Amino acid sequence: MAPSAKKDTTSRARLSAVIKSARDIMRKDAGLNGDLDRLPLLSWLLFLRAFDALEAEREVTGEESIIKPDYQWRAWADDETFTGEDLLSFINNELIPYLRGLSSDEPGDPRNVLSQVFGGVQNRMLSGYLFRDLVNQIRKIDFNSSDDIHTMAFLYESLLKEMRDAAGDSGEFYTPRPVIRFMVEQTFPKLGESILDPACGTGGFLVEAYTELAPQATGRMLQQQLVYNLRGIEKKPLPYLLCMMNLTLHGISAPNILNANALRKMIADTSPSTQVDIILTNPPFGGEEEDSIAKSFPSGYQTRETAWLFLHAVIRKLKPGGRCAIVLPNGALFGEGIGTKIRKKLLQECNLHTIVRLPQSVFAPYTDIPSNLLFFEKTGPTKEIWFYQIDPPEGRKGYSKTKPMRYEEYAACAEWWGGEERKERRENDHAWRVLISEIAESGYDLNILKPTVEASLPHHPPVDILKEIISTENSITATLISLLEELDSEA
């Protein structure tokens, strides 16, 4: 085993043991019920531990500390005699209120980040002694070590997956990592482009985009530009907290994430300066927005269906020439009324060049709603749409929590894609093309299935094809005879 591999293995084993001990400690506390309570607590403590490492760097360079000395992690966490009710009272009545109250008028100031992160934080632990044991475990993580940070990012992703599983059971679900990776890769992001996820959840799209682009950011200026250009909006406090920690662990020291209602924010920001180059997102669907949000949209596009509202807002948010990859349910692809208007707007203002139809159970077990990946560019009207159907592997009927869809299952689609220019695409058993004239005639219905009859005929033996034709002809003849008999009886 190479020295670096051995070092990574040792670091992972050590930190896995730390996280396991931390979770065992939290399980003993009567105030915490399940991972939906335990992971947020672990997240904001990790956040403070990581932020303290950044504070230490500021002090070395002579910069002013963001957090007052009495409230810095090292001041209270490193004092092992500070425990029990005294520690608990400090955390609940002094530290958290202090962090919530931080603010600055300067955009990008870490004080605003801290106040947003801790705006929704509550400490649910009831035992100050167990809290001290938990803090002592987190102190074993060295956020000045790139090895520890890298390993913690990996372990945190595993914790988030467990969190998503728990959240899914309560009606929420998040985008599987293979879906995220495929969407990011087929959008072909470039260094210097602004990238937004307006429903960022725990930050999966932004982490993947950062992972894709970070190797190109070879200098401090480029690294700062990359971090600034990764933007997210998340409405709910818990996913927002988890997102901030996720991005921090992946090397984004000052995440550009807003805790707000994305629809309200996007529809209010009409200035071209707020538009972005790329949008990568899986917006919530199947729910309804409040009336005030729906009424803030232009006349004729006011609906409470979240998927349609997000699609409309995304079109407006893209710069001219910008591009988007978005997850949408089948229900957003067809239907009359406002949905038709929004799809028409999409096809008239953007080039919807590809719709990838996913297998039905990709998001199982949380929902069986069939979903699609839409890829479009704000470069003018659509002339044709390519559809690509991804089917489960041979012998598999679907997916589950224990047997999810794998990234390798997107390989054939990625190869067919034709690179950034989408050159030399060909129709095959999975891919077909539809002209915009046909779509307009159908009332802008995008729920277009794979043409099965024509595609299947060449693969059938000639005898079977003739039998199918004779059977069809016999059925038509029988229907005509029956109709003739009815007409004769009425004469």
Side-chain angles (χ1 to χ4, degrees):
M1 183 183 292
S4 60
K6 184 176 181 180
K7 190 174 182 181
D8 288 344
T9 303
T10 303
S11 179
R12 184 172 299 180
R14 175 175 58 82
L15 292 179
S16 293
V18 168
I19 296 300
K20 182 182 183 303
S21 296
R23 298 179 77 178
D24 289 343
I25 291 166
M26 289 187 286
R27 287 189 182 97
K28 298 175 185 176
D29 192 275
L32 303 178
N33 297 304
D35 284 336
L36 287 174
D37 280 346
R38 289 190 284 265
L39 185 53
L41 170 60
L42 185 62
S43 295
W44 63 259
L45 284 173
L46 285 171
F47 189 88
L48 285 178
R49 181 76 177 90
F51 195 85
D52 193 62
L54 295 175
E55 287 278 77
E57 288 183 17
R58 285 193 188 90
E59 291 173 6
V60 170
T61 58
E63 296 179 66
E64 181 185 0
S65 295
I66 301 300
I67 299 177
K68 289 182 179 179
D70 289 349
Y71 297 104
Q72 290 178 343
W73 168 272
R74 73 200 81 161
W76 57 270
D78 291 350
D79 181 2
E80 296 188 23
T81 65
F82 192 28
T83 187
E85 288 300 318
D86 291 340
L87 176 58
L88 213 58
S89 176
F90 169 76
I91 296 297
N92 295 339
N93 302 324
E94 296 185 48
L95 179 64
I96 292 176
Y98 166 75
L99 294 172
R100 282 178 185 159
L102 290 173
S103 65
S104 171
D105 294 331
E106 186 177 336
D109 192 302
R111 292 174 181 82
N112 296 326
V113 173
L114 284 165
S115 63
Q116 281 198 320
V117 167
F118 285 88
V121 161
Q122 283 184 310
N123 172 40
R124 299 183 184 277
M125 284 194 80
L126 300 178
S127 169
Y129 296 101
L130 288 174
F131 192 93
R132 163 50 61 187
D133 292 341
L134 177 60
V135 168
N136 286 344
Q137 287 298 319
I138 295 174
R139 288 171 58 212
K140 297 177 182 178
I141 304 170
D142 182 5
F143 279 97
N144 289 306
S145 163
S146 59
D147 291 330
D148 272 19
I149 294 173
H150 174 78
T151 304
M152 270 306 303
F154 173 83
L155 294 174
Y156 194 77
E157 283 286 341
S158 300
L159 292 174
L160 283 179
K161 186 178 185 304
E162 293 184 36
M163 179 71 180
R164 290 163 191 156
D165 291 345
D169 292 338
S170 63
E172 295 182 10
F173 53 92
Y174 295 83
T175 318
R177 188 64 178 269
V179 177
I180 290 173
R181 184 176 173 188
F182 176 77
M183 290 173 68
V184 171
E185 289 179 346
Q186 301 314 124
T187 311
F188 302 95
K190 297 178 181 61
L191 204 62
E193 292 183 317
S194 51
I195 301 172
L196 170 70
D197 181 355
C200 64
T202 57
F205 282 107
L206 299 177
V207 166
E208 190 64 36
Y210 180 77
T211 303
E212 182 87 359
L213 294 172
Q216 303 174 37
T218 53
R220 185 176 178 83
M221 292 283 289
L222 290 177
Q223 290 172 355
Q224 290 177 342
Q225 181 192 56
L226 172 57
V227 169
Y228 174 76
N229 278 332
L230 293 174
R231 306 166 191 179
I233 308 174
E234 175 51 46
K235 179 171 67 172
K236 297 185 178 181
L238 175 56
Y240 173 77
L241 165 64
L242 300 176
C243 176
M244 295 296 285
M245 189 63 245
N246 195 18
L247 295 177
T248 299
L249 284 173
H250 280 86
I252 302 173
S253 57
N256 193 2
I257 310 297
L258 185 63
N259 186 200
N261 185 306
L263 290 173
R264 191 187 302 277
K265 181 71 176 172
M266 287 196 291
I267 207 67
D269 292 342
T270 57
S271 169
S273 64
T274 65
Q275 292 178 320
V276 295
D277 295 298
I278 298 174
I279 292 178
L280 299 160
T281 193
N282 178 9
F285 50 78
E288 291 188 345
E289 279 292 332
E290 56 188 89
D291 283 339
S292 63
I293 298 291
K295 290 177 180 177
S296 66
F297 279 70
S299 177
Y301 297 100
Q302 295 178 356
T303 175
R304 295 181 66 183
E305 167 54 50
T306 52
W308 284 336
L309 290 177
F310 263 96
L311 183 54
H312 184 283
V314 162
I315 296 168
R316 290 183 51 163
K317 194 68 175 176
L318 280 178
K319 289 180 179 178
R323 52 204 188 278
C324 172
I326 185 172
V327 182
L328 286 179
N330 270 13
L333 302 188
F334 62 92
E336 299 178 350
I338 292 175
T340 300
K341 290 184 178 180
I342 293 176
R343 292 193 301 274
K344 183 178 180 180
K345 177 182 176 68
L346 170 64
L347 296 173
Q348 288 180 339
E349 296 184 20
C350 302
N351 176 24
L352 176 59
H353 55 81
T354 311
I355 295 179
V356 177
R357 312 217 64 166
L358 297 177
Q360 183 165 334
S361 54
V362 169
F363 291 96
Y366 315 127
T367 179
D368 285 327
I369 298 174
S371 301
N372 309 269
L373 310 180
L374 275 65
F375 295 83
F376 57 87
E377 303 165 337
K378 201 170 182 179
T379 54
T382 302
K383 295 180 180 178
E384 63 180 21
I385 302 175
W386 280 94
F387 290 81
Y388 193 100
Q389 174 72 51
I390 298 180
D391 297 318
E394 189 173 348
R396 287 281 301 273
K397 293 182 178 180
Y399 304 95
S400 65
K401 185 188 295 187
T402 55
K403 293 183 178 180
M405 191 176 190
R406 297 175 297 111
Y407 172 71
E408 290 74 18
E409 294 173 51
Y410 292 90
C413 183
E415 184 178 357
W416 164 86
W417 198 274
E420 188 173 359
E421 301 299 324
R422 303 185 295 278
K423 292 181 178 179
E424 300 181 0
R425 286 186 168 184
R426 296 286 185 271
E427 293 189 348
N428 58 39
D429 289 345
H430 295 274
W432 64 101
R433 178 176 53 177
V434 181
L435 298 177
I436 188 62
S437 57
E438 299 176 48
I439 292 170
E441 288 174 8
S442 70
Y444 297 95
D445 185 344
L446 299 177
N447 189 34
I448 301 174
L449 301 178
K450 180 170 57 177
T452 55
V453 177
E454 294 84 349
S456 63
L457 287 177
H459 302 286
H460 288 186
V463 172
D464 290 344
I465 294 174
L466 287 172
K467 286 180 179 179
E468 288 180 19
I469 294 172
I470 292 170
S471 176
T472 302
E473 291 291 341
N474 288 340
S475 177
I476 294 172
T477 301
T479 302
L480 291 173
I481 291 171
S482 176
L483 179 60
L484 180 60
E485 290 174 347
E486 287 182 18
L487 291 173
D488 285 341
S489 64
E490 293 176 0

